[in-house]
Amino acid sequence: MKIKLNKLLTKNKALFLAYDQGLEHGPTDFNQNNVDPNSIIEIAKKGKFNGIIFQKGLAEKYQKEIRASKVPLILKLNGNTNLSKGEPISPQICSVEEAIKLGASAVGYTIYIGSKHENEMLSEFGKIEEEAHKVGLPVIVWIYPRGKSVKSKSKKELMVRAARTGLEIGADIIKIRLSGTQKDLIWAVKSAGKTRIVIAGGTKQNEKEFL
Amino acid sequence: MKIKLNKLLTKNKALFLAYDQGLEHGPTDFNQNNVDPNSIIEIAKKGKFNGIIFQKGLAEKYQKEIRASKVPLILKLNGNTNLSKGEPISPQICSVEEAIKLGASAVGYTIYIGSKHENEMLSEFGKIEEEAHKVGLPVIVWIYPRGKSVKSKSKKELMVRAARTGLEIGADIIKIRLSGTQKDLIWAVKSAGKTRIVIAGGTKQNEKEFL
Amino acid sequence: MKIKLNKLLTKNKALFLAYDQGLEHGPTDFNQNNVDPNSIIEIAKKGKFNGIIFQKGLAEKYQKEIRASKVPLILKLNGNTNLSKGEPISPQICSVEEAIKLGASAVGYTIYIGSKHENEMLSEFGKIEEEAHKVGLPVIVWIYPRGKSVKSKSKKELMVRAARTGLEIGADIIKIRLSGTQKDLIWAVKSAGKTRIVIAGGTKQNEKEFL
Amino acid sequence: MKIKLNKLLTKNKALFLAYDQGLEHGPTDFNQNNVDPNSIIEIAKKGKFNGIIFQKGLAEKYQKEIRASKVPLILKLNGNTNLSKGEPISPQICSVEEAIKLGASAVGYTIYIGSKHENEMLSEFGKIEEEAHKVGLPVIVWIYPRGKSVKSKSKKELMVRAARTGLEIGADIIKIRLSGTQKDLIWAVKSAGKTRIVIAGGTKQNEKEFL
Amino acid sequence: MKIKLNKLLTKNKALFLAYDQGLEHGPTDFNQNNVDPNSIIEIAKKGKFNGIIFQKGLAEKYQKEIRASKVPLILKLNGNTNLSKGEPISPQICSVEEAIKLGASAVGYTIYIGSKHENEMLSEFGKIEEEAHKVGLPVIVWIYPRGKSVKSKSKKELMVRAARTGLEIGADIIKIRLSGTQKDLIWAVKSAGKTRIVIAGGTKQNEKEFL
């Protein structure tokens, strides 16, 4: 089935507003204003963002406001708090079926490659990708190398690996952290093949990043 | 589907009578009188409580008495004893389907964030929330930071995180332990957004706590 | 559905013949005579026992003899050998459905509270209780505090906790080991509420124990 | 349903040809001749064996030859290599359904009692026994005490325990290793009750062993 | 059901182009040209390869190009990155059903025998083999001895074991690494019985390897 990416792109560029850090970090990153999901929906609407990234709790409680804003909803399917100090794992807490009911235009999932629990996340993602693509729902993956095993690796190498991993496992869009030079980023984009790359923390992506 | 919160609120306030500690602590907290669930049902009825919190064993054996009292039943779906000394985990022992059969007006679940087993509880809760909300059943979550990883954190920070976690994962009501100042509580309430907060150990909540 | 306890009681008393130790201990407890399950069925029949407790292997191979004896069959659903020295766990080896096919009048399950694997047994028991009670089949639980964590606890406290745990998780009958004084036992019985108590190793129980 | 043991017995005796060691040991036990499964099928046919024990790979690839030989097929459902040095575990790799499709007259399963993973094997066996007996398929169990916990036990005690374990969990035939005197074996046979015993490494069993 | 091996063989020989290392190693093995899956599809087409081995991400994104090339697709069902340093495990990320939808002519799976997680991979493979063979889909297995336990073993012994393991568990084709002499290879081929062997890193195989 054809993956419905159109809603997430404007002239082949994408600008997403991520607002799923409240589960991982708690509200420490927020101020009196942006602690309110409504303020974020407002920003996303005014900034003509191509997507707003929410955990299922926000997607459900602010459903009416999200639909009214017409900003596509990207439902983050897994999550964890950063309180636990062991090898990182982020379990699925929302099903693809529930995401669709909540009006999602895409689903997202984080994989900590290099973690002792990498296999559990790869396996879980595999089922999500299959279910989502059956109905044409785009899948975005956050690939963050983490855990004891990756400490000795260069950030540049890890960025490029993340890009390739996303292609290999069937993501439509990969969100990576930018490291290294412009040349490194071009290599990452090339390694990702037909899978598109979004840079974490960046602003509107230029076309190169989507080649 | 609309979540049926009305039964659990009186003028937007809620007063719940928790009586699920018998599994965790054994009967050490009880005396000759309140060891009998009937005495608790009586108190809940006379005090016009908005809910009585039971494990499934009590809900089943005292079903007739609970229905007669007209106090809404909140079925606690997971539980554990405090005998085991490892990283805390509280497994699901009652399904949403069974809770509904037993007449529950809401279901409850405890998550020990920061525990090595946090991921298992988040994952289990995710399925419970989905199943309960499909039929409009409210979900209450007890979020208690626990385990080695949280020892260095301030109680105030943990209270605020618990509040936000509840919102992010889709709870309708969050029960937290009170720590810090009135200002901290207001911040917690704000962090919880549209999810309502109940204070553990407290009495009738004022309206601020439900904003 | 109403739990069918009648077959297991004579004037509100119960006398069960447990013969499931062959899996846990091997045949060391047996002699040339009682190693044969037929001799046990004979004793249960002559002694007008209210139930004979078998693992599924015996229940199946001696099905004809059990039915002929008219002694109600209590099928023990989980079991383990005592060879392994880690934290105790007793896995389910017989389903409720299979127990019913084998003619069981009740099912039994052991939980080692305090064990590192307590959560796995509580979770497994939760599903068994739900499935059995759907068809009115009584559930008996053996609650034995075990594992490193319980070593410092008094036997009396552990007996009382076992009793309360059985009530909280939905057992119809709890089998506990007798410890402490007559007063302690009365407290245990009171803590168990509407769940009935059977004493391990005891003979015909007096009525107090079923209050 | 009646268990179809007739095909596996000749005048109440059984002689099985085990050829499943290729997975556990690799081909080190084989020579240029018996490395070929066809040579084994030929021996089983000429020796009028009551069963030939194969893993599913052999059962499938040599299906035609096995059927032509008319020797009953005993499908070994679990297996592992002996390369890994941790506490032993042998996972199920063939379902009862697949075994039936491959023409099996019985299924077999190995349990390492005393292993840290004993519970996983007991649980898996429990489901196999239920599924096989639903359709009258005999179940053979290999019970080998293994792992750190059993090192201090006498071989004789372990043989007798293995026999009893097989009866308790519902096996129709138990294969044990012979240890101790003729008297010990008689005690093992008696402990196994109506479950029949086959001696590993032995030749045609005499009737005593099947009492 | 008959396994459809014809598409994968030319006069009983097979030459596969493996391009699944991007997940395990990242793009470090690639250059500016072969980082593009299209260049590989081109090589496979021109070289008249009997199969091209892809992870599901590539199989989906380059579906049109693969079908146009007429090179049979071998879908690798499991995979992992080599970043994690514990005992090796490669989880399933693509189902047999999804592989069939993507047009696969065969499915592949890697098992690290000797790893602490060997049992999980054997178990997962067992289900894959059953599902694939139900519809006549060939199953290729990569058997690589790995982990602490195999360090003391000779490469020759491990090669021969890998070959036999593939036969025992039901693979149609086994890919092994070549070690030792021509005689050792002949012994490996003989040990694999009716299962065919492909040498990793080799070129077109001669007929001996398929006897």
Side-chain angles (χ1 to χ4, degrees):
Chain A
M1 193 173 193
K2 205 173 152 6
I3 308 306
K4 297 161 195 156
L5 274 174
N6 286 354
K7 275 181 82 168
L8 301 173
L9 302 172
T10 308
K11 297 186 187 167
N12 224 14
K13 296 173 198 164
L15 185 60
F16 300 146
L17 188 50
Y19 190 67
D20 62 326
Q21 62 275 59
L23 178 52
E24 194 172 349
H25 303 160
T28 40
D29 306 337
F30 303 145
N31 59 34
Q32 291 288 343
N33 188 34
N34 66 20
V35 72
D36 180 2
N38 280 319
S39 73
I40 301 299
I41 297 169
E42 205 54 37
I43 292 170
K45 189 182 161 186
K46 288 193 180 150
K48 295 187 182 170
F49 277 76
N50 298 98
I52 188 163
I53 301 166
F54 276 175
Q55 286 284 351
K56 75 171 175 183
L58 298 185
E60 195 195 37
K61 294 277 181 298
Y62 299 83
Q63 215 174 141
K64 221 173 54 182
E65 293 87 341
I66 297 167
R67 289 189 200 263
S69 78
K70 312 254 185 202
V71 182
L73 169 67
I74 297 167
L75 215 145
K76 184 76 192 313
L77 299 185
N78 66 338
N80 61 304
T81 77
N82 62 3
L83 287 171
S84 182
K85 296 304 182 204
E87 284 286 290
I89 180 164
S90 179
Q92 185 176 2
I93 59 177
C94 180
S95 71
V96 171
E97 192 192 327
E98 191 178 7
I100 291 169
K101 269 190 198 157
L102 293 171
S105 296
V107 291
Y109 190 90
T110 297
I111 300 175
Y112 300 124
I113 56 172
S115 161
K116 201 187 123 194
H117 302 293
E118 175 195 291
N119 63 313
E120 297 169 59
M121 288 175 277
L122 283 175
S123 164
E124 204 163 72
F125 176 79
K127 290 179 197 111
I128 287 168
E129 182 277 335
E130 180 175 359
E131 200 181 338
H133 281 182
K134 253 186 201 164
V135 294
L137 195 67
V139 175
I140 302 173
V141 73
W142 286 249
I143 300 190
Y144 297 146
R146 216 172 276 187
K148 279 181 212 154
S149 301
V150 307
K151 298 229 161 115
S152 61
K153 303 276 173 184
S154 79
K155 285 197 173 175
K156 175 198 140 182
E157 186 200 331
L158 292 174
M159 174 186 71
V160 176
R161 285 192 81 132
R164 183 70 185 194
T165 301
L167 168 64
E168 297 278 345
I169 64 177
D172 302 299
I173 295 174
I174 308 161
K175 198 166 158 192
I176 56 173
R177 291 196 199 285
L178 188 57
S179 311
T181 64
Q182 173 77 0
K183 207 179 130 195
D184 296 331
L185 179 59
I186 291 174
W187 179 234
V189 170
K190 209 158 182 185
S191 294
K194 291 192 182 180
T195 298
R196 289 149 195 265
I197 281 187
V198 172
I199 308 300
T203 50
K204 285 218 180 199
Q205 306 307 318
N206 62 39
E207 284 201 272
K208 263 200 201 98
E209 286 154 4
F210 293 127
L211 276 186
Chain B
M1 194 174 192
K2 205 173 151 10
I3 307 306
K4 297 161 195 155
L5 273 173
N6 286 353
K7 276 181 83 168
L8 301 172
L9 301 172
T10 308
K11 297 185 186 167
N12 224 12
K13 296 174 199 164
L15 185 60
F16 300 145
L17 188 49
Y19 190 67
D20 63 326
Q21 62 275 59
L23 179 53
E24 194 172 349
H25 304 160
T28 40
D29 305 337
F30 303 144
N31 59 34
Q32 290 289 341
N33 188 33
N34 66 19
V35 73
D36 180 4
N38 280 320
S39 72
I40 302 299
I41 297 169
E42 206 55 34
I43 292 170
K45 188 183 161 184
K46 287 192 181 150
K48 296 185 182 171
F49 278 77
N50 298 99
I52 188 164
I53 301 165
F54 276 175
Q55 286 284 350
K56 77 171 174 182
L58 298 185
E60 194 195 38
K61 295 276 181 301
Y62 299 85
Q63 215 174 141
K64 223 173 53 182
E65 293 86 342
I66 297 167
R67 290 190 199 262
S69 77
K70 313 252 185 202
V71 181
L73 169 67
I74 297 168
L75 215 146
K76 182 79 191 310
L77 299 186
N78 66 338
N80 61 304
T81 77
N82 63 2
L83 287 170
S84 183
K85 297 303 182 206
E87 285 286 290
I89 180 165
S90 180
Q92 185 176 3
I93 59 177
C94 181
S95 71
V96 171
E97 191 192 327
E98 191 178 6
I100 291 169
K101 269 189 199 159
L102 293 170
S105 296
V107 291
Y109 190 91
T110 298
I111 300 176
Y112 299 124
I113 56 171
S115 161
K116 200 187 124 194
H117 303 293
E118 176 196 289
N119 64 313
E120 298 169 57
M121 288 174 278
L122 282 175
S123 163
E124 205 164 71
F125 177 80
K127 292 180 196 110
I128 286 168
E129 182 276 336
E130 180 175 359
E131 199 181 339
H133 281 183
K134 252 186 202 166
V135 293
L137 195 67
V139 175
I140 302 172
V141 73
W142 286 248
I143 299 190
Y144 296 146
R146 214 170 277 188
K148 280 180 212 156
S149 303
V150 306
K151 298 231 160 114
S152 60
K153 304 276 172 183
S154 78
K155 285 197 175 175
K156 174 198 140 184
E157 185 199 332
L158 292 174
M159 175 185 72
V160 176
R161 285 192 80 132
R164 184 71 185 194
T165 301
L167 168 63
E168 297 278 346
I169 64 178
D172 302 299
I173 293 173
I174 309 160
K175 198 167 158 191
I176 56 172
R177 291 196 199 284
L178 188 56
S179 311
T181 64
Q182 174 77 359
K183 205 178 133 199
D184 296 331
L185 180 59
I186 291 172
W187 180 233
V189 170
K190 207 157 185 187
S191 295
K194 291 193 182 181
T195 297
R196 288 149 196 265
I197 282 187
V198 172
I199 308 300
T203 50
K204 285 220 181 198
Q205 306 307 319
N206 62 40
E207 285 201 271
K208 263 199 202 100
E209 287 154 3
F210 292 126
L211 277 186
Chain C
M1 193 174 192
K2 203 173 154 5
I3 308 306
K4 297 162 195 155
L5 273 174
N6 286 354
K7 274 181 84 169
L8 301 173
L9 301 173
T10 308
K11 296 186 186 164
N12 224 13
K13 295 172 200 167
L15 185 59
F16 299 146
L17 188 50
Y19 189 68
D20 63 326
Q21 62 276 62
L23 178 53
E24 193 171 350
H25 303 162
T28 40
D29 305 337
F30 303 144
N31 58 34
Q32 290 288 340
N33 188 33
N34 66 21
V35 72
D36 180 3
N38 280 319
S39 73
I40 301 300
I41 297 169
E42 205 55 35
I43 291 169
K45 187 183 163 184
K46 287 194 181 150
K48 296 185 180 171
F49 277 77
N50 298 98
I52 187 163
I53 301 165
F54 277 174
Q55 287 283 351
K56 77 170 174 182
L58 298 184
E60 194 195 38
K61 295 274 182 302
Y62 298 85
Q63 212 174 143
K64 222 172 56 180
E65 293 86 341
I66 297 167
R67 291 191 198 261
S69 77
K70 313 252 183 201
V71 181
L73 170 67
I74 297 167
L75 215 146
K76 183 78 193 310
L77 299 186
N78 66 337
N80 61 303
T81 77
N82 62 3
L83 287 170
S84 182
K85 296 305 180 203
E87 284 287 288
I89 179 165
S90 180
Q92 185 175 3
I93 59 177
C94 182
S95 71
V96 172
E97 191 193 328
E98 191 177 7
I100 292 169
K101 268 190 199 158
L102 292 171
S105 296
V107 291
Y109 190 90
T110 298
I111 300 176
Y112 298 125
I113 56 171
S115 161
K116 199 186 123 193
H117 303 293
E118 177 195 289
N119 64 314
E120 298 169 57
M121 289 174 278
L122 283 174
S123 164
E124 204 163 72
F125 177 79
K127 292 179 195 110
I128 287 168
E129 182 276 335
E130 180 174 0
E131 198 181 340
H133 281 183
K134 252 187 202 166
V135 293
L137 195 68
V139 174
I140 302 172
V141 73
W142 285 250
I143 300 191
Y144 297 146
R146 214 171 276 189
K148 279 179 212 156
S149 301
V150 306
K151 297 232 160 111
S152 60
K153 305 275 172 182
S154 79
K155 286 197 174 175
K156 175 198 140 184
E157 186 200 332
L158 292 174
M159 175 185 72
V160 176
R161 285 191 80 130
R164 184 69 185 195
T165 301
L167 168 64
E168 297 277 347
I169 63 178
D172 303 298
I173 294 173
I174 308 161
K175 199 167 157 190
I176 55 172
R177 289 195 202 286
L178 187 56
S179 309
T181 64
Q182 175 76 1
K183 206 178 132 197
D184 296 330
L185 180 59
I186 290 173
W187 180 234
V189 170
K190 208 157 182 186
S191 295
K194 290 192 183 181
T195 298
R196 289 149 195 264
I197 282 188
V198 172
I199 308 300
T203 50
K204 285 221 182 197
Q205 307 305 322
N206 62 40
E207 285 200 270
K208 264 200 201 96
E209 288 156 3
F210 292 126
L211 276 187
Chain D
M1 193 175 191
K2 205 174 152 7
I3 308 306
K4 297 161 195 156
L5 273 173
N6 286 354
K7 274 181 83 170
L8 300 173
L9 301 172
T10 308
K11 296 185 186 165
N12 224 12
K13 295 171 199 168
L15 185 59
F16 299 146
L17 189 50
Y19 190 67
D20 63 326
Q21 61 276 63
L23 178 54
E24 192 171 350
H25 302 160
T28 40
D29 306 337
F30 302 144
N31 58 34
Q32 290 288 341
N33 189 34
N34 66 22
V35 73
D36 179 3
N38 280 319
S39 73
I40 301 300
I41 298 170
E42 205 55 36
I43 290 169
K45 186 182 164 186
K46 286 194 182 150
K48 296 184 181 172
F49 277 77
N50 298 98
I52 187 163
I53 300 163
F54 277 174
Q55 287 283 352
K56 76 170 173 182
L58 298 184
E60 195 196 38
K61 294 276 182 300
Y62 299 84
Q63 213 174 141
K64 219 172 59 181
E65 293 87 340
I66 297 167
R67 290 191 199 262
S69 78
K70 314 252 183 202
V71 181
L73 170 68
I74 297 166
L75 215 147
K76 185 75 194 311
L77 299 185
N78 66 336
N80 62 305
T81 77
N82 63 3
L83 287 171
S84 182
K85 296 306 181 205
E87 283 287 287
I89 181 165
S90 179
Q92 185 175 3
I93 58 177
C94 181
S95 71
V96 171
E97 191 192 328
E98 190 178 7
I100 291 168
K101 268 190 200 159
L102 293 170
S105 296
V107 290
Y109 190 90
T110 298
I111 299 175
Y112 299 124
I113 56 172
S115 161
K116 201 186 123 192
H117 303 294
E118 177 195 290
N119 64 314
E120 298 169 57
M121 289 175 276
L122 283 175
S123 164
E124 203 163 73
F125 177 80
K127 291 180 196 110
I128 286 168
E129 183 276 335
E130 181 174 359
E131 198 181 340
H133 281 182
K134 252 187 201 167
V135 293
L137 195 68
V139 174
I140 302 173
V141 73
W142 284 249
I143 300 190
Y144 296 146
R146 215 172 275 188
K148 278 180 212 154
S149 301
V150 307
K151 296 231 161 113
S152 61
K153 303 277 173 181
S154 79
K155 287 196 173 175
K156 175 197 138 182
E157 186 199 332
L158 292 174
M159 175 184 72
V160 176
R161 284 191 82 131
R164 184 70 185 194
T165 301
L167 169 64
E168 297 278 346
I169 64 179
D172 303 298
I173 294 174
I174 308 159
K175 199 167 156 190
I176 56 173
R177 291 195 200 286
L178 187 56
S179 309
T181 64
Q182 174 75 3
K183 208 178 130 196
D184 297 330
L185 179 59
I186 291 172
W187 180 233
V189 170
K190 209 157 181 186
S191 295
K194 290 192 183 182
T195 298
R196 289 149 196 264
I197 282 187
V198 171
I199 308 300
T203 50
K204 285 220 180 196
Q205 308 305 321
N206 62 39
E207 286 200 270
K208 264 200 199 96
E209 287 155 3
F210 292 125
L211 275 186
Chain E
M1 194 176 191
K2 205 174 153 5
I3 308 306
K4 297 161 195 157
L5 273 173
N6 285 354
K7 274 181 84 169
L8 300 173
L9 301 172
T10 308
K11 295 186 187 166
N12 224 12
K13 295 172 199 167
L15 185 60
F16 299 145
L17 189 50
Y19 189 67
D20 62 326
Q21 62 275 61
L23 178 53
E24 194 171 348
H25 303 160
T28 40
D29 306 336
F30 303 145
N31 57 35
Q32 291 287 342
N33 188 32
N34 65 21
V35 73
D36 180 4
N38 281 319
S39 73
I40 301 299
I41 297 169
E42 205 55 36
I43 291 169
K45 187 182 164 186
K46 287 194 182 150
K48 296 186 180 171
F49 276 76
N50 299 99
I52 188 163
I53 301 164
F54 276 175
Q55 287 284 352
K56 76 170 174 183
L58 298 185
E60 195 195 37
K61 294 276 181 301
Y62 299 85
Q63 214 174 142
K64 220 172 57 180
E65 293 87 340
I66 297 167
R67 290 191 199 261
S69 77
K70 313 255 184 200
V71 181
L73 169 68
I74 297 167
L75 215 146
K76 184 76 193 313
L77 299 185
N78 66 337
N80 61 304
T81 77
N82 63 3
L83 287 171
S84 181
K85 296 306 182 204
E87 283 287 288
I89 180 164
S90 180
Q92 185 175 3
I93 58 177
C94 181
S95 72
V96 171
E97 193 192 326
E98 191 179 6
I100 291 169
K101 269 190 198 158
L102 293 171
S105 296
V107 291
Y109 190 91
T110 298
I111 300 175
Y112 299 124
I113 57 172
S115 161
K116 202 187 123 193
H117 303 293
E118 176 195 290
N119 64 314
E120 297 169 57
M121 289 175 277
L122 282 174
S123 164
E124 204 164 72
F125 177 79
K127 290 178 198 112
I128 286 169
E129 183 277 335
E130 181 175 358
E131 199 181 340
H133 281 182
K134 252 187 200 165
V135 293
L137 195 67
V139 175
I140 302 174
V141 73
W142 284 250
I143 300 189
Y144 296 146
R146 216 172 275 187
K148 278 180 211 155
S149 302
V150 307
K151 297 230 161 113
S152 61
K153 302 278 173 182
S154 79
K155 287 197 173 175
K156 176 198 137 180
E157 187 199 331
L158 292 174
M159 175 185 72
V160 176
R161 285 192 82 132
R164 184 70 185 194
T165 301
L167 169 64
E168 297 278 346
I169 64 178
D172 302 299
I173 294 174
I174 308 160
K175 198 166 158 192
I176 56 173
R177 292 196 199 284
L178 188 55
S179 309
T181 64
Q182 173 77 1
K183 209 179 128 193
D184 296 330
L185 179 60
I186 292 173
W187 180 233
V189 170
K190 210 159 180 184
S191 295
K194 289 192 183 181
T195 298
R196 289 149 196 263
I197 282 187
V198 172
I199 307 301
T203 50
K204 286 219 180 197
Q205 306 306 319
N206 62 40
E207 285 200 270
K208 264 201 200 95
E209 287 155 3
F210 293 126
L211 276 184

